[in-house]
Every structure is written in C-alpha cells, then in structure tokens.
Amino acid sequence: MTPTPSPDFSMLLVAIAPFLAAFVAPAVKRFAPDHVGWILALVPASIFLFLASFIDLVVHVGPVPFRLTWIPYLNIDLSFYLDGLSLVFGLLISGIGTLIVIYSGGYLNGHIHHGRFFSFILMFMGSMLGLVLADNVITLFVFWELTSITSFLLIGFDHSRQASRRAAIQALVVTGGGGLALLAGLILLSFTTGTQNISQMLGSAQFLGEQPAYLLIFILVLLGAATKSAQVPFHFWLPNAMEAPTPVSAYLHSATMVKAGIYLLARMSPVLGWSPTWGITLTILGGVTLLVGSILALRQTDMKQMLAYTTLGSLGMLVMLIGAGGKEGILAAMLFLVAHSFYKGGLFMVVGAIDHETGTRDITEVSGIWRALPVTFFGAVLAAISMAGLPISLGFFAKEEMYLFAKVPEWQNYAIIGVALLGNALMMAAGAAIAIKPFLGPRLSTPKKPHEAPLSMLVGPAILAVMGIGAGVLITQFGDFFIAPAAGAVLNEELHVHLKLHYDPIPLALSIATWLLGALVFWKLNEVRSFLRRVAQVWTWGPDQGFDQFMFGLIRFSDAVTRFIHHGRLEQYLILIFVALAAALFMPMLLTNSLPAMPRHIPHLHFYEWGILAIAALGLLAVVFGRTRLVAIVSLGIQGFAVALIFLLLGAPDLGFTQFMVETLSVVILALVMTKLHLDQRDTRIFEEVIRDGGLALICGIGLTTLLLAVMNTDLDLTLTNFFIETSVPIAHGRNIVNVILVDYRAVDTLGEIGVVMTAAIAILALIRVRVGGPRRGVGVPKAKSKRVASKSSASKSSVTKSSTVKPTSRPRKATRKPASARSAT
C-alpha cells in the first residue's frame, strides 16, 4: 500500500540542504580552516540519519511519496518518491558523502581553494540526492543536468592544468549530450504514458512495449544512462576524469555520478523492461564494458587509473545484471551495487592516502610501506577482500548470487557466467595489486618519506572497509532491510529473500575458479601488463582520440558555418532578411490556398485622397531615383507624412500628429547622422544589383499588400477592442485608449522599445565619434600621446621627431585634416 502523497518539505530539504551548506562552506573554511571537513560533514550525516528513519516505514509499509506543486499549468511537480531503491542510493550518497567531506578536510588542507572545493562537492551531493529521490521526470532531469555541471566543476578543479580542463570539458560534453537525449526520451515517455510521475508509470512495461514509440524511447533513455555510466563506446571520459582530486574520484566513481546511469536503468526497468530488446541490448552492452574495463585496468601503473578502469568494469557488470533481469539478476545487481560502493570508495581513499604521504601513486614506484601506514594497509586489505569476493564479505554474496545463473542450463546464462567470471577475476587481480604491492615487499625510495595519514583521511577507508565485511557477516538482516526492498522496487513486486551464508556447490565452484584465475593474473601481472602495452602500441586509435577528432571537426564546422552566416557584409544580411520575409509572407498563404481575391474595380476616392496618394507616389519616386543615399533617406519622410495625412482623414488625429513628430525627428536625426558619416556620395549600383534589390523590394511589397488584403477579408474580432473600451477608464484611469494601451497594457513593450531607441542612439553616437576621428583629445588619451598622434599627420618625418621633444606645456599643433576618402578608407 502506497501512502497518499504528502505536501511535505522534508524531501525537498534533503536535496536543498547540501546547496545551502555549499553557500556557507567558504565562510566555514575561513573561520575554522583545520576543522572545516568535520563541521560540514554534519550536513550529509544529518541527511543520512533522516533517511535512515524511513527504513522501517519503507520495508513494512511501502514507498513514501512527497509532492509539492511547482509549475501547475504544465502539470510539473517537485515530487519525490522514497522506496527501497531510492532509499539505498540516498543512504549511499549521504553516508559515503559524509566520509568524503571529512576526508577532503585532510587531503586538501592548506589548498588555496579549499572552501570552493567544499562548495562544489556539496552541490554535487545535493544534485545526486535530488536525482535519486525525484518522481517527476522533469525534476529528475533538472537534477540530472546539475550533476553534469557540478562534476564539470569538480573534475576541472585544478583548472591551471590543461589535462584537468580537457577532462572536465570531455565529461561535460559526453554526459551533457546524453542528458539532451534523455530529456527527449523522458518527454516522449510522459506523453506516451499520460503522466510525468515515474511512480505512476511503474507496471506499464507491457503497454509501452506495444507502442510504436517504444524503440525510440528506449534508445534515448539508454543514451542518457550509457553516457553517464561510461558504457562502451562512451567509457573514455571516466579514466580521464581521474585528473580530479582523489576525494572527487572516490565520491563520483564509487557511489554517485557513474551510478546515476545505473539508477536510471534500474528505475526504468519496470517501465521499459518488458521487451526482449531491453534485456538483449543491456546484457551485451554491459558485458562488453565489463571486459574492456577489467582488461584495461591491468595495463595501468597509476593506481587511480587502475581503480577507474575496474569501476568501468563494475558498471558494465551492473548493466549486464539489470539486463539479465529476473530475481537472481536484480538481487545480484543490488548486492554488487552496495558492495562496490563500499570497497571502491575505500580503495580510492587508500590510494589518495598513499599519494598524499609518499608523493607518488605509481604502483611500480612504491613498496614496503605497511609499517609506515598500518591503518591505511588495514583498510586496503579489507576492501580488497570484498573486491575479490572472499567468504563472509558482502562481495562474496554478490558474486554467489550472480553465479546462480549457471543453475539454469541455457547458453545465454552460460555466456553471462563466463563474462562475469573473467571480469571478476581480472578485477580481483587489480584490487589485490593495490592492496599488496605498495605495502609489502622491499622498501623503495619515494619522493616523500612515508608516514600515516591524518585521522580525517583514515576514518573513511576504515569505516567503508569494515562495512564491506560487516554487511557480509550480518547478511540476513542487511538483505531484509536494504537489498530486498531495493530489488523489489526494481522488479515492481514485493520480494522476500533470506540471504544467508551457505555453500551451493555450483556457485562455490565458480567462485573457486574466479579466485584461482585472479591469483594467476596477479602472479603474472607484470607480464600481462607488458603484453597489453605492446598491443596498445599496435592499436593506437581509440574513442579518446575519436573524441578529439570529433571536437576538432565540430569546431571547424562551426567556424565554417559562422563565416558563412556572419560574413560581415551588411548588404548580404539585408538580402537574407528580406528573402526570409518574402517566404514568411507567401508560403503560409500558398500552402493553405488562402490567397485573397484582387480588387476588380478602382475605389471611389475624393480628390484630396487622390492627392495624398500622389504625394506618396512622388515620395516613392524620390527614394528610388535619388542620386545619393542621403536624398533617398530624407525622401522617406514624404511616405511618413502621407501616412500621417491618412490617419487624419480616418479620424485618428492623435496617431496622425504622432506620425508627424516621428517623421520630422527621423529626418532631422538621419540627416545629421548621414552628414557626419559622409554618406553624401553618389550611390552607384550595377544593373544586376538594381534588378536584384528592386525585384526583392517589389516582391516583399506585394506580399505585404496581399497579406493586408487577406486580413481585411476575415471577420473582425472585436474582443480586444471591447475589452480596452470597457476597462480603459475604470482600470487604467485614462480616456485616450491608444495612450492607455501604450503606457498601461503594453507598458513593458513600450519600455523595451524605448530601450532599443536609446541603445541605437548610443551606438550612433559611438559610430560618429569613431568615424570623425576618435575620442576628443584629453578624453581617455594622454596629452603627450595626443601630441604625437597629431604630429604624425605632418608631411615630414622630422616633424615627428621634433614633436616628441616638445615640452608638455607647449601648445600642440593642429592635426592636418584628411580627405573624406582617406577617412572613409581608414
């Protein structure tokens, strides 16, 4: 039973609280620099405890919805939905986030931008919490994009290095592009299902699978998830994101950003998972990513890169298990999700401690430091045990659950087991290398003398390592309170599981095979690494290089388009504008077959009305045959005066006098401006240009006339007219309806027009000043410099030399005025 949505602000505060903390983080850093991590960690710790208070309610009652009206006329709500899946993600984000904030206080202590870093990491935390708690698809997308933006800030935190900037832009482009695809998919999904709330979409998988739009929705949603969770071929951004500080890597790549795509697929599984396309695509995509990530991890010597590629493999494992589906597949995915968050977050922090205390994270340059870093070594060993899936660890139960596929004799299950076994073995070897090689063996010289990390850097890896083992020891309780509700939310059914320590012969045999293969790869790690590097020398191209080529081509294409459109030729701009105008005038009437009938007789007019038309015709001839542009522009005033006379004849004296004022001022201002800009020369055009410009003007004129005739043939709608007449006096307190419209009903529009006129006036003034000769002497130009500029206009070089030696008190010589042609050329 699902409780009725509550208009409660509590879930909104859960998502907003980290943003509020981000706002005050720099101030906290300033006043408590040595304890800032511990102080700010109170925010995610409070969120963790608040979410934990819902465990019993979610387990025994059901999902807890929260809804707040956001944009009612679009039916968009700030709705949140707390069920088993979102609860597990929320606890991971806030719990591990607490440890990361504490860890960052020690890792970046003394950094000039320490406060800024805390702001970024807390904003990212709030974005992730909002994402996993969101019920409305628009709310989900808003937080989804916030994760991309904040991760860009975190990955590029060390913005002085080119590699960091490149990695940040790459992550933003890839995940941002996927986000746009996701937006289209979510909008299409909401239109197809008739609702924007995910909770109301659950169970509609069969209905969606029968819809024509299903395949398009699936592809768009998959693009969003695959780019965010770094699935092949979009995997390249994740290893490059290791340019970020280690706390960012530990947080983004263990429990948060890269898991956002996993969360989306798990959440959409009851909605889109009915079709075989879902299972086949996700299984293949995840399997390929698992193998690529686990193999490439062994090629690295940078321990952060090794963990990054194993994260890639783990994400592929999760996608493969979600695609495989069923009770076993989803249970294995949820167990592996939590186990991976524990051991991978701990190992990242271990590597950060090694780098922080020795000055290197190259696995070939550090060895024998366990005596100097005993607590760090303890955390590394426990995390590696869970990563290897050894008994009593949480990773063991995740691995055993996925190996249950072997009990169903089908070739698809055998293929999944084979890929999972190979991937688990390779990732076990990488984890064992990080836990063993830096600590055991002969002591090597390191850039810094190794010593144990500060307490703030030990709390995180120690707690996560113990959690990875403790959850396995208490697997029954852990499964009942966390894994079963999460898996039930993905399967959209109530699920009762009784996880316990037992030894099923088939999964146990596969686990033993995994350990033996992993131990063999660890033993031969140097040979395997050398082989993979030789292969990399032969096969040099990859998606990372492809991204650079794509961006280079995109920039070149954008430059070509910009040069084609913004070529700087005003004449071409005007031609394009009038061609578009002609198309806009004629195309709708032609497509709708609504061209008006032309008048068949000459209207009966009085002699003075014919006189006004004659004046307009004379003005038109003056414009067309004017010898200079100045004459043509001034002749336009004749057209304006003719229109003003028509207003007077039709009983609108206020409009007529307004038109007279506008035309008079326009002629005066244009005459002034044109004179200053020296546009009084003859306007010469070749015959082809005359035909082109005249024909275009004639077409646009005919189009406007035709449009006006079409409008006159329609019924006059007096709704607005009556509204203005009825409300002008009682509401606007004005009897002149035209004035009331301008200054009351359309006040903002009028204000905008005034702003446009002022902007144009400023631009004209600046243009006049530049064309006449630049700023006045003494305004923004030093006096001595003005003297030298004036001297340069003299005829001889000797005068320039003399002027440079004149005393500052001397009166500068008047600059020689250049001919108009020379000034125009300049």
Side-chain angles (χ1 to χ4, degrees):
M1 181 180 69
T2 301
T4 303
S6 170
D8 196 342
F9 287 88
S10 54
M11 282 300 155
L12 181 61
L13 289 176
V14 168
I16 291 180
F19 289 95
L20 300 177
F23 181 75
V24 301
V28 176
K29 167 62 176 67
R30 176 176 298 179
F31 292 107
D34 296 330
H35 307 287
V36 58
W38 297 94
I39 296 174
L40 292 176
L42 295 175
V43 175
S46 301
I47 295 174
F48 177 83
L49 295 176
F50 175 77
L51 292 176
S53 67
F54 288 91
I55 293 176
D56 186 70
L57 183 62
V58 170
V59 172
H60 294 103
V61 178
V64 183
F66 300 83
R67 185 170 302 162
L68 292 171
T69 301
W70 184 14
I71 309 176
Y73 61 89
L74 293 179
N75 295 323
I76 298 177
D77 298 326
L78 274 173
S79 54
F80 300 95
Y81 188 72
L82 188 64
D83 62 353
L85 181 64
S86 56
L87 179 62
V88 167
F89 270 93
L91 291 173
L92 288 174
I93 293 166
S94 57
I96 297 179
T98 302
L99 302 176
I100 291 296
V101 171
I102 295 173
Y103 183 88
S104 302
Y107 186 86
L108 291 172
N109 189 25
H111 195 284
I112 187 175
H113 298 307
H114 201 183
R116 180 190 300 175
F117 177 84
F118 279 116
S119 295
F120 292 165
I121 201 81
L122 288 168
M123 287 192 295
F124 177 80
M125 184 187 302
S127 303
M128 278 301 305
L129 286 170
L131 190 157
V132 300
L133 295 175
D135 186 21
N136 186 281
V137 293
I138 303 301
T139 305
L140 183 145
F141 172 75
V142 169
F143 285 108
W144 181 281
E145 288 303 284
L146 282 176
T147 62
S148 297
I149 296 171
T150 50
S151 65
F152 165 79
L153 298 174
L154 287 168
I155 296 171
F157 178 72
D158 190 5
H159 54 81
S160 60
R161 296 190 304 112
Q162 192 273 340
S164 296
R165 298 194 300 271
R166 177 184 181 272
I169 292 175
Q170 188 179 71
L172 182 64
V173 170
V174 175
T175 60
L180 294 177
L182 175 63
L183 175 62
L186 293 177
I187 292 175
L188 190 58
L189 179 63
S190 64
F191 275 113
T192 305
T193 59
T195 178
Q196 294 183 354
N197 293 325
I198 299 174
S199 58
Q200 297 175 2
M201 298 178 186
L202 300 177
S204 60
Q206 184 172 356
F207 167 76
L208 274 174
E210 298 171 351
Q211 300 303 309
Y214 171 82
L215 183 60
L216 180 58
I217 295 173
F218 168 65
I219 292 173
L220 293 172
V221 172
L222 181 61
L223 279 174
T227 52
K228 187 74 82 172
S229 286
Q231 299 297 291
V232 173
F234 307 107
H235 63 284
F236 52 87
W237 72 263
L238 194 151
N240 291 335
M242 295 300 108
E243 297 294 335
T246 299
V248 177
S249 303
Y251 195 39
L252 268 69
H253 305 133
S254 64
T256 52
M257 179 178 175
V258 292
K259 297 284 179 64
I262 303 301
Y263 170 80
L264 179 66
L265 293 177
R267 179 58 78 199
M268 288 295 168
S269 184
V271 182
L272 300 173
W274 180 81
S275 171
T277 306
W278 171 273
I280 295 172
T281 305
L282 293 190
T283 303
I284 295 175
L285 181 65
V288 172
T289 305
L290 169 60
L291 294 179
V292 169
S294 54
I295 291 172
L296 292 180
L298 303 177
R299 196 181 70 183
Q300 314 301 317
T301 58
D302 185 325
M303 287 183 280
K304 278 185 68 175
Q305 289 289 327
M306 294 175 68
L307 291 176
Y309 279 106
T310 56
T311 299
L312 190 65
S314 299
L315 295 172
M317 177 78 78
L318 289 168
V319 172
M320 183 177 71
L321 293 174
I322 293 174
K327 179 180 176 181
E328 293 80 8
I330 300 303
L331 275 175
M334 295 300 102
L335 282 165
F336 189 75
L337 170 78
V338 180
H340 175 264
S341 298
F342 287 162
Y343 69 68
K344 191 57 63 69
L347 285 176
F348 264 116
M349 286 189 269
V350 164
V351 170
I354 295 173
D355 185 20
H356 192 270
E357 306 307 330
T358 65
T360 181
R361 60 175 188 250
D362 192 314
I363 201 170
T364 63
E365 296 178 357
V366 58
S367 178
I369 62 171
W370 75 272
R371 294 183 184 274
L373 288 79
V375 180
T376 304
F377 177 48
F378 169 78
V381 171
L382 291 186
I385 288 175
S386 184
M387 187 172 181
L390 295 179
I392 78 167
S393 69
L394 187 60
F396 170 77
F397 292 98
K399 181 166 51 58
E400 292 291 294
E401 195 69 31
M402 68 180 69
Y403 286 165
L404 287 176
F405 277 104
K407 300 183 71 173
V408 180
E410 294 181 358
W411 70 269
Q412 298 95 328
N413 293 338
Y414 293 150
I416 292 174
I417 292 301
V419 173
L421 191 151
L422 180 58
N424 281 328
L426 297 179
M427 289 191 292
M428 169 190 165
I434 293 173
I436 296 174
K437 287 184 176 295
F439 297 98
L440 303 180
R443 181 73 172 269
L444 297 179
S445 177
T446 54
K448 294 168 59 177
K449 183 179 179 180
H451 55 83
E452 189 57 272
L455 177 62
S456 58
M457 295 179 61
L458 298 177
V459 173
I463 291 179
L464 290 178
V466 172
M467 286 290 295
I469 303 299
V473 174
L474 303 174
I475 186 60
T476 300
Q477 296 81 359
F478 191 81
D480 291 341
F481 283 96
F482 299 102
I483 303 304
V490 178
L491 294 171
N492 195 32
E493 63 183 45
E494 189 174 355
L495 194 63
H496 297 283
V497 297
H498 299 284
L499 296 171
K500 60 182 180 179
L501 184 63
H502 67 285
Y503 298 99
D504 195 312
I506 296 179
L508 181 60
L510 292 171
S511 294
I512 294 173
T514 302
W515 299 329
L516 292 175
L517 180 58
L520 177 63
V521 174
F522 171 74
W523 181 40
K524 296 292 184 181
L525 183 59
N526 292 333
E527 289 82 353
V528 173
R529 182 186 300 121
S530 299
F531 171 74
L532 292 176
R533 291 193 169 187
R534 288 195 299 270
V535 172
Q537 291 175 354
V538 177
W539 190 359
T540 58
W541 189 90
D544 191 33
Q545 292 85 351
F547 174 82
D548 290 336
Q549 295 166 355
F550 168 77
M551 292 301 295
F552 179 76
L554 180 63
I555 293 172
R556 292 290 299 272
F557 174 74
S558 302
D559 179 69
V561 171
T562 302
R563 291 179 179 275
F564 176 75
I565 297 176
H566 298 284
H567 40 67
R569 298 178 61 187
L570 180 61
E571 182 182 19
Q572 298 297 324
Y573 292 157
L574 292 175
I575 290 174
L576 181 61
I577 290 173
F578 282 103
V579 168
L581 173 61
L585 291 171
F586 281 106
M587 290 302 294
M589 291 187 288
L590 292 175
L591 292 176
T592 58
N593 195 23
S594 58
L595 287 172
M598 299 302 294
R600 298 182 179 181
H601 60 278
I602 299 175
H604 176 71
L605 299 176
H606 297 286
F607 71 94
Y608 49 83
E609 293 174 332
W610 284 111
I612 294 175
L613 293 178
I615 292 174
L618 291 175
L620 175 63
L621 294 175
V623 171
V624 172
F625 294 101
R627 291 180 173 271
T628 65
R629 293 183 180 179
L630 181 59
V631 172
I633 291 173
V634 173
S635 300
L636 284 175
I638 301 176
Q639 307 291 320
F641 283 112
V643 171
L645 292 174
I646 293 175
F647 286 156
L648 292 175
L649 291 177
L650 294 178
D654 49 352
L655 291 180
F657 284 115
T658 301
Q659 184 72 18
F660 278 127
M661 294 176 61
V662 170
E663 291 300 328
T664 303
L665 290 175
S666 298
V667 171
V668 172
I669 293 173
L670 287 174
L672 173 64
V673 172
M674 295 304 123
T675 303
K676 293 292 185 180
L677 292 181
H678 306 289
L679 296 180
D680 50 351
Q681 291 86 11
R682 183 181 178 84
D683 183 18
T684 57
R685 303 189 194 190
I686 60 176
F687 179 74
E688 290 80 2
E689 292 178 346
V690 172
I691 297 298
R692 179 199 64 193
D693 298 342
L696 189 57
L698 189 61
I699 292 174
C700 291
I702 294 174
L704 286 170
T705 303
T706 306
L707 178 63
L708 291 175
L709 290 174
V711 171
M712 293 178 64
N713 289 335
T714 61
D715 295 332
L716 180 60
D717 187 356
L718 297 176
T719 303
L720 279 178
T721 303
N722 295 331
F723 171 78
F724 291 138
I725 294 173
E726 295 171 0
T727 60
S728 178
V729 175
I731 294 180
H733 306 288
R735 297 186 179 278
N736 190 318
I737 297 178
V738 175
N739 291 348
V740 168
I741 292 174
L742 291 176
V743 300
D744 282 278
Y745 295 110
R746 293 180 51 196
V748 177
D749 181 61
T750 304
L751 181 63
E753 293 175 353
I754 294 172
V756 170
V757 173
M758 291 181 62
T759 304
I762 294 172
I764 291 171
L765 178 62
L767 184 61
I768 292 174
R769 288 168 59 85
V770 170
R771 295 298 299 271
V772 168
R776 294 192 306 272
R777 189 175 301 157
V779 181
V781 181
K783 188 173 183 181
K785 185 174 180 179
S786 301
K787 194 178 302 180
R788 289 194 298 270
V789 171
S791 302
K792 286 182 180 180
S793 62
S794 300
S796 64
K797 184 177 180 180
S798 60
S799 62
V800 177
T801 307
K802 280 185 178 183
S803 65
S804 63
T805 60
V806 176
K807 295 180 181 180
T809 56
S810 302
R811 184 176 180 181
R813 253 182 291 176
K814 187 175 180 180
T816 304
R817 183 176 178 87
K818 293 182 179 180
S821 58
R823 290 197 305 273
S824 301
T826 304

